[in-house]
Amino acid sequence: MTQRIEAGSGSAVWIGAGLLGRAREYLASPSGRYLLVFSAGAASAAARIRASLAGRLTLDLSVGDREEEKRLGAVERIADAALEADVRRDDAFVAVGGGVVSDIVGFAAAIVLRGVAWNAVPTTTGAMADAAIGGKTGVDTKAGKNLIGSFHPPRCVLIDPAALDGLPERDYRAGLVEAYKAAWTADRNLADRGEKSLSAILERREEPLLDLLGGAAGVKAAIVSEDLRESDRRRLLNFGHTLGHAFEAAGGYRELKHGEAVAWGIAGALEISARRAGLTREDASRVRATLSALGPFPEPVRDASVLAPYLARDKKKTVRGVAGVLLESIGRARIEESIPEREWLDAAQFARLS
Amino acid sequence: MTQRIEAGSGSAVWIGAGLLGRAREYLASPSGRYLLVFSAGAASAAARIRASLAGRLTLDLSVGDREEEKRLGAVERIADAALEADVRRDDAFVAVGGGVVSDIVGFAAAIVLRGVAWNAVPTTTGAMADAAIGGKTGVDTKAGKNLIGSFHPPRCVLIDPAALDGLPERDYRAGLVEAYKAAWTADRNLADRGEKSLSAILERREEPLLDLLGGAAGVKAAIVSEDLRESDRRRLLNFGHTLGHAFEAAGGYRELKHGEAVAWGIAGALEISARRAGLTREDASRVRATLSALGPFPEPVRDASVLAPYLARDKKKTVRGVAGVLLESIGRARIEESIPEREWLDAAQFARLS
């Protein structure tokens, strides 16, 4: 069964088994011509897209997908290759890969000829649940992550579990954190089902995986379609990210994968949520049990003196504290604007997954 | 007298003598903080802006303004400097300079933190009449001019003739071609007044100059406010640009200034307009007389074998010919989609300014 979710701004998310082989029916290009950009790790998914778009490709380009490569230079190389291939305003890019690939290809699409269409074919659980949806594109600079970019939603996001073939186990599990995160913040039924199917999902069984990824994509799509530019509801998607970003940065972006850092960030946010948002011990335990089963994750740096500077750098900081997302109950989150830095650092100290 | 023109998308153009000294009343920044970026040639205008914004600047940066410097690297340097200065989402850039400066600063504003506000303070006649208005920002790549960029209109464009102090005579005259172009395509009364005042304008007399620049800004603002992304009416502003771009490129972007190339391009379009659009000999003579008085301009390369490749590269080319803007009469232009390449090359051969 193929599911279609509207993500606003003319962006549609398609979810189902076997979509890669029928990509031509779903991907969108006003001219019918496509520029394919993929990472080496996504070569097998790219091969299926290539076969489906036979005769319609004007570019076929492989790019790096490590976080260190998510820089403006990579976007410029994609743009130059597209211009060299005589890209026209009504052509469309197809990005096949994880979050780094959709970030840089989406940004290239935003600025080539002042904006052409693009499509995302995510090949990681993290990109399927989160990164490819919502239109945030961009790159890192020496000053920090995602500081340059554009809001430029893909016309189509194609989610097919077959695209996960070959995804290393650690990446598979880390990316699922973002899928469960979506459920916990906004959809209790999805969380219930996802927790019940956890072991089947870890075995990569298609049906429960599609249910979880489809549900997570639905949560994100519903939020971004009413609020493309981050202001209020979109911030709920940052659950676990206040401490998560600090953990990730403190590990030099090497020790912890993004989803793993978010898992620890969620664990920390649970401590504060219990105190400030009435989260029950039972709900907190359920979340921890799932995170624990998704792991084991490497231990984060917990030292307050190391974490504090990264927390201070957070865009959400004011003189009265640092904003964050708290869980009131599974399926229901809210934003709290000013939580003292001390509370975050204490929560980081005591965050646990079991 | 200060004139205010709405340019759509929340963008306002202010025109009047003495505005530089009162910049603070007109420039827009949600936070009240500004990032000033200026070219060396615009240092005296920048000094007046700096004085007016005393205590509100978080960045004060000088950049190059030659066409060769309009590359992505220049935009990245501006973005890095802004991020280093802790730019926030509610801050705003102020670009002080000619078209290159507004193109690169506007583009930096479009992508820093996925978009912050900006203001333009043009210091050339060309930028006042054309470049700073309408939201097209961007840079050149090795494949051609303005091929990477963004639609990102400035909140405010501040036009004060005092900003032209120190502008070399050749630039002053070349930029006026764009102002007259606007009048010829869309406002016969403005063209009448501008032709009558031509010698006073060449003497840089404030009142007639403000009338012409204000009128040209009004023409452009009216068009872009209904059609930000180039589709139909906006293309009328390309009068003289089909051949103009080819002349400019054939001279390696060194022999002819942009406005000078457009003057020759208009002269060529007059030939075709007489044949295809019913332009009278009298109207054509009036346009030529004005172009001639704005010159003398260096002779362009007219050789068909040199020009043809640049014409072919034009985005407006299809199998049946090359699109262009024709003049039906002074104040009235229209688009013709498919003019055979041969006609353009003949017109280039015989284009004359007197």
Side-chain angles (χ1 to χ4, degrees):
Chain A
M1 198 199 71
T2 301
Q3 188 189 356
R4 178 192 164 101
I5 300 170
E6 295 301 329
S9 316
S11 186
V13 183
W14 293 93
I15 301 162
L19 296 187
L20 284 185
R22 306 195 306 273
R24 184 170 176 158
E25 299 169 35
Y26 301 100
L27 300 177
S29 166
S31 70
R33 288 185 302 271
Y34 293 91
L35 301 111
L36 177 66
V37 185
F38 62 98
S39 62
S44 88
R48 300 171 79 166
I49 299 289
R50 189 179 295 117
S52 181
L53 295 179
R56 296 165 169 244
L57 292 186
T58 59
L59 180 69
D60 194 338
L61 181 70
S62 168
V63 295
D65 66 351
R66 289 173 308 143
E67 184 72 29
E68 309 89 273
E69 296 172 289
K70 208 177 92 174
R71 304 300 284 251
L72 199 53
V75 174
E76 188 171 24
R77 283 189 293 278
I78 295 168
D80 281 342
L83 292 164
E84 184 70 25
D86 268 328
V87 56
R88 296 195 335 219
R89 287 180 191 179
D90 50 359
D91 295 343
F93 283 91
V94 185
V96 183
V100 168
V101 175
S102 57
D103 276 355
I104 61 176
V105 176
F107 189 30
I111 63 175
V112 165
L113 303 181
R114 297 198 184 94
V116 302
W118 73 290
N119 302 266
V121 182
T123 62
T124 65
T125 42
M128 287 180 181
D130 197 54
I133 304 166
K136 279 192 188 179
T137 72
V139 297
D140 307 333
T141 76
K142 57 188 172 191
K145 287 188 67 173
N146 299 317
L147 293 176
I148 287 182
S150 192
F151 288 95
H152 190 54
R155 293 285 182 95
C156 163
V157 181
L158 210 63
I159 297 179
D160 179 348
L164 301 170
D165 286 355
L167 183 70
E169 188 65 9
R170 187 176 165 190
D171 295 286
Y172 180 82
R173 288 166 170 256
L176 287 177
V177 173
E178 297 274 12
Y180 280 98
K181 173 209 75 180
W184 290 325
T185 55
D187 187 341
R188 188 169 183 114
N189 288 333
L190 179 65
D192 289 346
R193 299 197 305 275
E195 289 168 31
K196 281 201 191 75
S197 316
L198 181 53
S199 54
I201 288 171
L202 289 176
E203 289 163 13
R204 305 196 182 200
R205 295 244 302 272
E206 206 164 83
E207 201 179 320
L209 179 61
L210 277 171
D211 181 50
L212 178 66
L213 292 173
V219 166
K220 181 147 189 188
I223 288 177
V224 302
S225 66
E226 67 180 44
D227 178 22
L228 180 62
R229 291 181 180 261
E230 188 154 29
S231 36
D232 284 317
R233 282 203 55 201
R234 186 157 187 163
R235 292 167 65 198
L236 293 176
L237 298 169
N238 291 332
F239 181 48
H241 282 64
T242 304
L243 279 179
H245 282 152
F247 284 138
E248 199 178 4
Y253 299 101
R254 287 178 310 273
E255 306 304 318
L256 290 175
K257 295 193 174 280
H258 178 68
E260 296 171 345
V262 170
W264 285 112
I266 290 174
L270 292 177
E271 306 282 334
I272 301 177
S273 299
R275 230 179 6 257
R276 287 181 169 260
L279 182 70
T280 63
R281 182 186 299 255
E282 189 197 339
D283 273 7
S285 296
R286 273 179 57 184
V287 173
R288 274 201 197 87
T290 300
L291 291 174
S292 176
L294 291 174
F297 299 132
E299 266 288 306
V301 173
R302 294 173 183 271
D303 191 321
S305 65
V306 177
L307 291 175
Y310 295 110
L311 204 60
R313 208 180 280 174
D314 197 289
K315 284 175 283 221
K316 305 167 209 60
K317 192 185 176 187
T318 67
V319 284
R320 285 165 302 137
V322 178
V325 181
L326 301 182
L327 208 59
E328 297 177 342
S329 61
I330 288 179
R332 196 180 165 85
R334 67 174 164 85
I335 292 156
E336 186 138 331
E337 294 297 345
S338 302
I339 300 171
E341 195 172 305
R342 190 68 252 161
E343 278 191 57
W344 289 109
L345 295 172
D346 284 348
Q349 183 87 52
F350 299 110
R352 59 200 168 80
L353 297 183
S354 53
Chain B
M1 198 199 73
T2 301
Q3 188 189 356
R4 179 192 164 101
I5 300 171
E6 295 301 328
S9 315
S11 187
V13 183
W14 293 93
I15 300 161
L19 296 187
L20 284 186
R22 306 196 305 272
R24 185 169 175 160
E25 297 169 35
Y26 301 100
L27 300 177
S29 167
S31 70
R33 287 185 303 271
Y34 293 91
L35 301 111
L36 177 67
V37 185
F38 62 98
S39 62
S44 89
R48 299 171 79 166
I49 298 288
R50 188 179 295 118
S52 182
L53 295 179
R56 295 165 171 245
L57 293 186
T58 60
L59 180 68
D60 194 338
L61 181 70
S62 168
V63 295
D65 65 351
R66 290 174 307 143
E67 185 73 29
E68 308 91 272
E69 296 172 289
K70 208 178 93 174
R71 303 301 284 251
L72 199 54
V75 174
E76 189 171 25
R77 282 190 292 280
I78 295 169
D80 281 342
L83 291 164
E84 182 71 27
D86 268 329
V87 56
R88 296 197 332 220
R89 287 179 192 181
D90 51 358
D91 295 343
F93 283 91
V94 184
V96 183
V100 169
V101 175
S102 57
D103 277 355
I104 60 175
V105 175
F107 189 30
I111 63 174
V112 165
L113 304 181
R114 297 197 184 94
V116 302
W118 72 292
N119 302 266
V121 182
T123 62
T124 65
T125 42
M128 287 179 181
D130 198 54
I133 303 167
K136 280 193 189 177
T137 72
V139 297
D140 306 334
T141 77
K142 54 189 173 192
K145 287 188 67 173
N146 300 316
L147 292 176
I148 287 182
S150 191
F151 288 95
H152 190 54
R155 294 285 182 95
C156 163
V157 181
L158 208 64
I159 296 179
D160 179 348
L164 300 171
D165 286 355
L167 183 69
E169 188 66 9
R170 186 176 166 190
D171 296 285
Y172 180 82
R173 287 166 171 256
L176 287 177
V177 173
E178 297 275 11
Y180 280 99
K181 173 209 73 180
W184 290 325
T185 56
D187 188 340
R188 188 171 183 112
N189 287 333
L190 179 64
D192 289 347
R193 297 197 307 275
E195 289 167 31
K196 279 201 192 75
S197 316
L198 180 53
S199 54
I201 288 171
L202 289 176
E203 289 162 14
R204 306 199 182 199
R205 295 240 305 269
E206 206 164 82
E207 202 179 319
L209 178 61
L210 277 171
D211 181 50
L212 178 66
L213 292 172
V219 166
K220 180 146 189 192
I223 289 177
V224 301
S225 66
E226 68 180 45
D227 178 22
L228 180 62
R229 290 179 182 262
E230 189 153 28
S231 35
D232 284 316
R233 282 204 55 203
R234 186 159 186 160
R235 293 167 64 198
L236 294 176
L237 297 169
N238 291 332
F239 181 47
H241 282 65
T242 304
L243 279 179
H245 283 153
F247 284 137
E248 200 178 4
Y253 299 101
R254 287 178 311 272
E255 306 304 318
L256 291 175
K257 295 193 174 279
H258 178 68
E260 296 170 345
V262 170
W264 285 111
I266 289 174
L270 292 177
E271 307 282 335
I272 302 177
S273 299
R275 233 182 358 262
R276 288 181 170 258
L279 182 70
T280 62
R281 183 186 299 256
E282 189 198 339
D283 273 6
S285 295
R286 273 179 56 183
V287 172
R288 276 202 196 86
T290 300
L291 291 174
S292 176
L294 291 173
F297 299 132
E299 265 288 307
V301 173
R302 294 173 183 271
D303 191 321
S305 65
V306 177
L307 290 175
Y310 296 109
L311 203 60
R313 209 179 281 174
D314 198 290
K315 283 175 285 222
K316 305 167 211 57
K317 193 186 175 182
T318 68
V319 283
R320 284 165 304 136
V322 179
V325 181
L326 301 183
L327 208 58
E328 298 177 341
S329 60
I330 288 179
R332 196 180 165 84
R334 67 173 165 83
I335 293 157
E336 186 138 331
E337 293 298 345
S338 302
I339 300 170
E341 195 172 304
R342 190 68 252 160
E343 278 191 58
W344 289 109
L345 295 172
D346 284 348
Q349 184 86 52
F350 298 110
R352 59 198 168 79
L353 298 182
S354 53

